[in-house]
Amino acid sequence: MKESGRKLGALSPCAACKLLRRRCAQDCVFAPYFPADEPQKFASVHKVFGASNVNKMLQELPEHQRSDAVSSMVYEANARVRDPVYGCVGAISSLQRQIDSLQTQLALAQAEVVHMRVRQFTSSSNYPGAMDMAVDQATMGESLWSC
Amino acid sequence: MKESGRKLGALSPCAACKLLRRRCAQDCVFAPYFPADEPQKFASVHKVFGASNVNKMLQELPEHQRSDAVSSMVYEANARVRDPVYGCVGAISSLQRQIDSLQTQLALAQAEVVHMRVRQFTSSSNYPGAMDMAVDQATMGESLWSC
């Protein structure tokens, strides 16, 4: 949490009060999170959520959670400014596609390992039941990866 | 895009106009996306973004993109209502952690396959250069997965 802007008190209004052209009070709810030297942070959340909604959301949270809430709102607002149609939901869809692809690749690699273990074990063993043991050993290995 | 609410015209205001207690005009920007029978959709975006910001964001988009923009705003608003600190940025962090874990598991599985191919090839070959060929063959297989 940046409090540097606050130290100067009424002499230096925070970025929010500066943009809203209002007096920055000693107990301004925005000041600890929107220092005067980072005007873009407040400009984005103001454009997307509106100053009054940001104020309300911060007031409804305990102080120790406000800094994280501001960071996530700034992230969300910047994503919406960059992509007005999908905002950060676009990032969620892209990450979900990446997860689907990784899960497919992992399933293929794990199947390949099971297949190779079975082949390796059966080619080096001639006694009955070797195939069952090989499959057990291969799937034990597989369950270790998922830990 | 749901237009059913619109068919009834002034007789049935859309969910937005109903909540804002205003007359629902024939060309209301909200009506096609916020039908009267789904009041929660507008309530969420109104609470998080504010009606005036939603109006502005829709007006700034061509009509064919507005339905997707409303869906993503409703998703984002619901996430923020459920989790006022992290909103849908919480989902992004969780998906990113899942990707890190899948990438680690995939790297382990691929390393295991390479190791097994090398062992298999060298145990069945005694001529010089068998190791290089085995590694080439193993990494060729690995590059196939990443396609």
Side-chain angles (χ1 to χ4, degrees), chain A residues 68 76 80 86 112 117, chain B residues 68 76 80 86 112 117:
Chain A
D68 281 353
E76 228 174 294
R80 178 69 58 184
Y86 298 103
E112 171 87 4
R117 279 191 186 149
Chain B
D68 282 353
E76 227 173 297
R80 179 68 57 183
Y86 298 102
E112 172 87 6
R117 280 192 187 148

Side-chain angles (χ1 to χ4, degrees), chain B residues 1-146:
Chain B
M1 182 167 77
K2 274 195 163 184
E3 302 242 17
S4 55
R6 208 77 296 262
K7 296 283 189 294
L8 300 169
L11 286 175
S12 168
C14 73
C17 292
K18 206 168 174 183
L19 192 91
L20 302 172
R21 295 169 188 273
R22 63 176 209 174
R23 196 180 67 82
C24 193
Q26 195 60 36
D27 60 347
C28 169
V29 72
F30 297 125
Y33 317 104
F34 298 104
D37 58 352
E38 292 179 272
Q40 198 49 51
K41 274 176 70 176
F42 188 76
S44 299
V45 296
H46 177 47
K47 183 179 160 66
V48 173
F49 298 102
S52 135
N53 275 355
V54 177
N55 186 340
K56 214 185 305 165
M57 287 193 260
L58 289 179
Q59 299 275 12
E60 284 168 1
L61 289 173
E63 281 201 24
H64 72 275
Q65 293 190 308
R66 292 183 188 175
S67 176
D68 282 353
V70 166
S71 299
S72 72
M73 277 189 275
V74 170
Y75 182 97
E76 227 173 297
N78 285 337
R80 179 68 57 183
V81 169
R82 272 198 311 274
D83 179 353
V85 180
Y86 298 102
C88 72
V89 179
I92 290 178
S93 307
S94 150
L95 291 171
Q96 269 168 342
R97 279 195 301 274
Q98 217 177 317
I99 286 174
D100 289 347
S101 157
L102 282 167
Q103 279 172 335
T104 306
Q105 288 179 68
L106 181 61
L108 283 172
Q110 288 178 334
E112 172 87 6
V113 171
V114 170
H115 174 74
M116 290 178 84
R117 280 192 187 148
V118 169
R119 207 169 52 177
Q120 196 179 38
F121 202 87
T122 48
S123 70
S124 65
S125 269
N126 287 323
Y127 71 93
M131 177 66 88
D132 292 343
M133 276 186 68
V135 172
D136 285 350
Q137 204 187 41
T139 44
M140 261 176 69
E142 206 177 347
S143 67
L144 282 176
W145 293 330
S146 58

